[in-house]
Each structure stands twice: as structure tokens, then as C-alpha cells.
Amino acid sequence: MPTFNLAELAQPEALSLLKGIRRGIEKESLRVTPEGELAQTDHPRGLGSALTHDCITTDFAEALLEFITPPVATPEQALEKLDQIHRFTYSQMGDERLWVNSMPGRIGRDADIPVARYGSSHSGTMKTIYRLGLGLRYGRAMQTIAGIHYNFSLPDDFWQWLQAKEGSTESLQDFKTRRYFDLIRNFRRHYWLLIYLFGAAPAVCGTFVQNRQHNLQSFDGDGRSLYTPDATSLRMGDLGYTSDAQKSLVVCYNDLRSYLITLCSAISLPYPPYHELGVKDADGEYQQLSTGLLQIENEFYSPIRPKNPAGMGETALSALDARGVEYIEVRCLDLNPFVPLGIEAPQMRFLDAFLLHCLLSDSPQTDEADYRAVQENQARIVYRGRDPELQLIHNGSERKLTAWATELLDEISPMADLLDQAWQGHDYQRAVSVQRDKIAGKIPTPAAQVLAEMHEHGQTFFQWAKAKAEQHRQYFLERPLDATEQAEFERLAQESLQKQRDVEAADKGSFEDFLGRYYAQYVFCQRAL
């Protein structure tokens, strides 16, 4: 429940502060051939440098594009920018397509999946070696899975108002950081709801799990498509961004210092299985950055991250240590294959209300038992989330998902009312109402809709997903940018290529020296171990 009287937030002065919320989108999409196979081509040069471009880069695989919007005032502004990026990208891709599902189609052998490349600079080389390490540790197939990250922040004048209401004497930076960690703990308690409501990956092409252990069933009787009947998001299960090695890691979210120390120890201390592999292969070439449980902090696959923009060569943990939390990144969202951009405004509005609820509700500190309960709830919701009888762990006991979800929506609804008052509309409450209908079974979840369409059309997952990719490709090709917009994107691409050349020319010393300086930044945590 809220930690203070929400009526205070309903005052005109406070409502105006809520309009300062900023949100941004990071959307991953896999490049594929017209036949739906994984693209083997390099990152299109016309898109610019994946190392230095502000809004078009690559994620783990060379074919996995990542589109980044700046932080903006409304969902519509973010979606407009994302739409422009898609339209420009299609102008530079030839006959390739963007795969619109989180789970990939036919990707071939693991060894044939190219990792992302970023040029010859020390920083670019480090990014590529990091990805080689991911492939070594977890397999490269995982690197073809796509998702949406949602960045969320509140303005400093809101934090100043809240700090005054709570009577805090901390510095503004310390107050913001502490309260963002309150938000994060509540998010971790409740993000299973987002996987249920927005999970859109209940099935996968059978080729994706060749030579891998799994507990999936055949959807079509011949194993071409695999699923579980009540699945929500296989991306968030053990086929995706989870690992047995990381299950031993318990990250503390009670405060920034604890978070930094637990992650830093996972980076700094050798992990025997990875130590045995070695940093370099038999030919003396780098195959991973280090032998720690984590090569860098980004390897920790969390559904939410505290963030502060890091400069080139600066670690993410150093940025947090120096400047505190500036925004949070939600990382548990699948691509929505039913909309061309993978996300739409009502979902973003629900996320805003959900995150505001996480911030303004009581958020007790947690221990290892709580951490394990979150992991267990994630596993249950991934594979059995749409079972109407499913029970989740709640305050140490079992509770029916539908009852808990209904209670959460009741608590989120006042946050939607506040945001509607701030914007003088009804869109936020409408967004919550849609989610109520999903819980009540009045409308299908995206995961249920995927399976229903596959069944209705008699299609395998690959056939169905390929058709969606074609449909969305036509949507963007029929709406090319105007000449001015196209020229601006082309300018940004050329500018990024020049920036990459400048970075490469500015390198000093050896790569080993560069890597040593990078890892030396973790000393601030090592002293506290």
C-alpha cells in the first residue's frame, strides 16, 4: 500500500510534477533473410557505427539490431521516434527483414551465429570479446533472443517535492538513489504480473532447442514447434536469459552499496568452471574478458537495473557509485508481435502506473529467502502462468495468481487516476482496465493470442512468425521517411562512422593495458569485500 496519503499527489502542484516523467525504449530485432533464416551479413554500413551511434546499434549478435529512443515526455513521442528509426532501417537493409518475435526462428548451428563486431578500437574490441565470452559460457543461440527494455525516470523537482514530504535530510542524489532502490525491490516482488500480462513468447521453433535439454511439448505433433500450454514468455525461462551459474548469485537490492558489492564480487572473484576455460584459447586469442562469474555487470540477467549513463571506458558500477541512480531499466518485456513497433502506448501507460505504484508503496528490505521466492515465481509464471489455478509465493505462503493480480491492479488504479489527472485524460485508467479484462479472461493475453492464431491458421511457430515479419515489413516500406528525415538519419549515420574512426585513432597503449585500467575501476568495491 502507499507510504503516504495519495491525496497530496492529487494537488495541482504535485500533478504537474508527474508530467515530468520521462520514458525511453530500447528495442531489439533480429535481422533475417527473406526465407526467415538468420542474416549472416555485417551490420549495414548505411545504419552507421554500432559502436557510436546514439539510436541504432547491435546487441549480443551481429544480426541483433537495437533501436534506442531518447527519454521523452509521452509514450507517443517515444513511439514516433521508434517508428522513424524502423523506417530508416528498412531503407538500408535491402531485402532483409526484422524478426518481430522475441524467440528466433531458424538460426542454424550455434557456431554459425556471428557475434557483434564494433571495429578495431580497444573499447570496440572489448565489446566483441565480451560477446564471445557469452557464447562460450551460455551458447550463441541465446544471443538471438530479442526483447524490449523500458527506461523510466522521474524529474528532480518531483524528487525534491517527495523529499520534503518525507522529511529526508539526505542529499538529493542519495535520496533519489535510495527511493529508486525501494522501487526496484517492489518491482522484483511484482514483475511476474508484467510477464503474465505482456508475455508473448509461449512457443519456439523446434530447431532452437536442438541438442539442448528442455521440458517443452510438441505443438504440431512432429516437433517443428515446441511450447507449453500455459506458457507466457519462454524468453524469461531457462531457454533464455537465465543460467545455472548465475543461480548461485544472490544480488542484494537493499541499498546501492550492497548492490555494488555483490555484483563486484561476482566480477572480481574467479569462478572455477570459467577459470578452467581460460581467458584465451589455445591459439592465444581472447575468448572471454575474465574468469569471474560475471565478465562485467551487464552479464547479470536481471529483470530490472538501476542505471546512470556511463561514459566510454567507464564501468556501469562506477557510474552508479559516482553519481547514483538516474533512471531504471525494465528488462522483462517481450516484443509484441501484433504491433509493428513491438510495443504500444497503452502498455507504456500501464508500465508508468505500475512503476509509480512500486515507488510509492511500502518496500521492506529483502533477504535471500525473498530473492529465491522471486526466482521461483518467475519460473512458475514463465511455464504455467496462464493456468487459472496457478499459485505463487506471497509472503512465505502460496496465493492464487488471479487473486493477487486483482489486488495489485486495485492498488495500481489510483496511480493511473493521478496520471490521468495530470494529463487531463482517461488513457491511463483505460490501460489498467484492459489488464483487468486479461485477468478476468475476457480478452486473451498476447501469449494466448499467439497460440490461438497458430492453431487457427494451422501454422508452425516459424511459419506464423515469418508471416508477421512480412506483414510488419510492408507496414514500414509503405511509409518511407520524407526527404528531410531521411537526410538527417543519413547524416547521423555518417557522423557515427567518423566518431568510431576518432575513437580508434585516439587509442593509446595495448589492449591489455586498456583492459587492466577498465577492471581497476572495480577496486572501489574490492576494498569492501
Side-chain angles (χ1 to χ4, degrees):
M1 296 301 294
T3 55
F4 64 93
N5 188 349
L6 288 181
E8 296 183 68
L9 260 176
Q11 300 305 308
E13 175 195 4
L15 287 175
S16 68
L17 302 179
L18 292 179
K19 294 180 72 173
I21 289 174
R22 292 293 180 267
R23 74 279 294 148
I25 301 168
E26 300 174 25
K27 188 235 183 183
E28 300 159 355
S29 293
L30 193 66
R31 289 188 292 113
V32 300
T33 68
E35 295 74 34
E37 310 283 347
L38 178 73
Q40 296 291 319
T41 51
D42 293 342
H43 182 65
R45 186 172 177 81
L47 296 179
S49 166
L51 179 68
T52 56
H53 201 297
D54 288 335
C55 59
I56 303 175
T57 184
T58 53
D59 198 75
F60 292 135
E62 180 74 357
L64 188 56
L65 289 171
E66 182 174 355
F67 302 148
I68 304 167
T69 73
V72 292
T74 68
E76 286 75 15
Q77 289 173 345
L79 292 171
E80 180 182 7
K81 181 65 174 179
L82 188 60
D83 180 69
Q84 291 175 342
I85 296 171
H86 277 77
R87 290 153 69 193
F88 174 69
T89 297
Y90 265 112
S91 77
Q92 305 297 315
M93 281 177 53
D95 64 357
E96 290 180 352
R97 288 98 164 101
L98 296 178
W99 196 253
V100 298
N101 283 265
S102 282
M103 299 305 287
R106 297 173 183 166
I107 56 176
R109 297 184 311 155
D110 204 68
D112 295 332
I113 300 171
V115 300
R117 298 181 293 276
Y118 299 92
S120 62
S121 69
H122 293 334
S123 56
T125 299
M126 180 178 173
K127 288 169 73 72
T128 295
I129 294 171
Y130 166 59
R131 286 151 175 79
L132 289 171
L134 294 175
L136 180 70
R137 295 172 175 207
Y138 314 111
R140 294 188 180 185
M142 186 190 71
Q143 301 178 46
T144 64
I145 296 173
I148 291 239
H149 300 167
Y150 191 71
N151 299 324
F152 176 91
S153 67
L154 290 136
D156 278 353
D157 52 5
F158 172 86
W159 290 115
Q160 291 163 350
W161 177 87
L162 185 62
Q163 185 175 20
K165 290 295 180 183
E166 295 186 0
S168 166
T169 59
E170 302 160 280
S171 70
L172 182 61
Q173 174 183 311
D174 288 346
F175 177 75
K176 286 168 56 176
T177 294
R178 176 172 63 82
R179 296 296 276 115
Y180 269 127
F181 269 89
D182 291 343
L183 182 160
I184 288 170
R185 287 195 303 279
N186 273 335
F187 179 93
R188 287 180 54 79
R189 292 180 176 103
H190 300 144
Y191 74 92
W192 59 264
L193 179 64
L194 300 182
I195 298 177
Y196 174 87
L197 295 173
F198 303 114
V204 68
C205 185
T207 59
F208 182 76
V209 296
Q210 284 182 343
N211 303 317
R212 299 179 67 186
Q213 290 188 335
H214 64 83
N215 295 312
L216 303 180
Q217 304 173 27
S218 175
F219 178 82
D220 43 22
D222 58 10
R224 292 181 298 167
S225 301
L226 299 171
Y227 83 125
T228 61
D230 294 312
T232 56
S233 173
L234 298 181
R235 166 180 167 269
M236 294 298 295
D238 52 13
L239 294 179
Y241 288 103
T242 62
S243 77
D244 290 337
Q246 290 192 23
K247 287 178 181 177
S248 66
L249 179 60
V250 178
V251 175
C252 181
Y253 292 91
N254 287 336
D255 54 65
L256 175 59
R257 196 67 192 166
S258 298
Y259 177 80
L260 295 175
I261 290 171
T262 51
L263 276 184
C264 187
S265 65
I267 295 168
S268 304
L269 301 177
Y271 181 64
Y274 300 155
H275 183 73
E276 185 176 342
L277 291 170
V279 170
K280 296 183 179 181
D281 62 19
D283 296 323
E285 299 293 330
Y286 277 96
Q287 60 180 355
Q288 57 181 341
L289 289 173
S290 76
T291 60
L293 178 61
L294 305 176
Q295 298 172 90
I296 58 176
E297 49 269 55
N298 288 356
E299 190 172 341
F300 175 56
Y301 302 126
S302 172
I304 187 171
R305 284 180 183 163
K307 299 293 288 279
N308 195 307
M312 186 166 287
E314 182 182 30
T315 74
L317 295 187
S318 296
L320 285 171
D321 184 55
R323 300 184 293 279
V325 183
E326 192 61 33
Y327 67 98
I328 57 96
E329 178 188 45
V330 173
R331 300 167 48 81
C332 60
L333 304 173
D334 289 344
L335 301 181
N336 181 348
F338 299 102
V339 295
L341 295 175
I343 190 171
E344 56 186 347
Q347 179 181 354
M348 296 171 69
R349 288 195 169 88
F350 181 80
L351 290 170
D352 291 345
F354 178 90
L355 293 167
L356 197 60
H357 170 261
C358 289
L359 172 67
L360 297 177
S361 297
D362 184 40
S363 183
Q365 296 204 334
T366 57
D367 57 21
E368 183 173 349
D370 297 319
Y371 191 89
R372 298 303 184 196
V374 166
Q375 289 181 315
E376 174 61 22
N377 282 344
Q378 177 175 328
R380 294 184 189 184
I381 206 75
V382 161
Y383 290 104
R384 297 186 288 128
R386 293 181 297 104
D387 177 354
E389 300 304 316
L390 180 64
Q391 304 269 335
L392 297 176
I393 301 172
H394 181 226
N395 293 333
S397 60
E398 300 279 327
R399 186 174 187 190
K400 194 172 182 179
L401 177 152
T402 50
W404 192 2
T406 300
E407 178 183 287
L408 282 174
L409 291 178
D410 288 343
E411 294 175 359
I412 293 166
S413 184
M415 308 301 166
D417 280 336
L418 288 171
L419 291 164
D420 275 335
Q421 291 176 54
W423 287 101
Q424 298 183 335
H426 305 283
D427 289 338
Y428 280 91
Q429 198 57 255
R430 290 192 189 104
V432 173
S433 295
V434 170
Q435 310 318 316
R436 288 189 188 278
D437 287 343
K438 290 179 185 176
I439 298 298
K442 296 179 181 179
I443 61 174
T445 64
Q449 195 175 352
V450 168
L451 296 178
E453 288 198 4
M454 287 170 57
H455 178 76
E456 178 185 353
H457 300 300
Q459 293 175 315
T460 64
F461 170 76
F462 176 80
Q463 292 167 339
W464 178 84
K466 183 173 178 290
K468 285 293 181 187
E470 293 293 336
Q471 175 186 333
H472 294 337
R473 176 175 182 263
Q474 288 303 313
Y475 172 82
F476 292 115
L477 288 178
E478 291 169 2
R479 301 166 51 252
L481 296 173
D482 65 33
T484 301
E485 293 170 329
Q486 182 76 14
E488 175 61 13
F489 272 101
E490 290 174 355
R491 183 191 69 79
L492 291 173
Q494 291 303 312
E495 187 178 271
S496 72
L497 291 169
Q498 182 58 51
K499 286 181 181 177
Q500 177 176 324
R501 289 190 288 269
D502 293 343
V503 170
E504 291 169 349
D507 274 345
K508 297 289 190 289
S510 68
F511 175 71
E512 285 73 15
D513 291 341
F514 170 85
L515 201 59
R517 290 192 299 272
Y518 187 90
Y519 277 96
Q521 295 178 71
Y522 295 115
V523 169
F524 74 90
C525 284
Q526 292 171 358
R527 296 194 191 103
L529 294 178

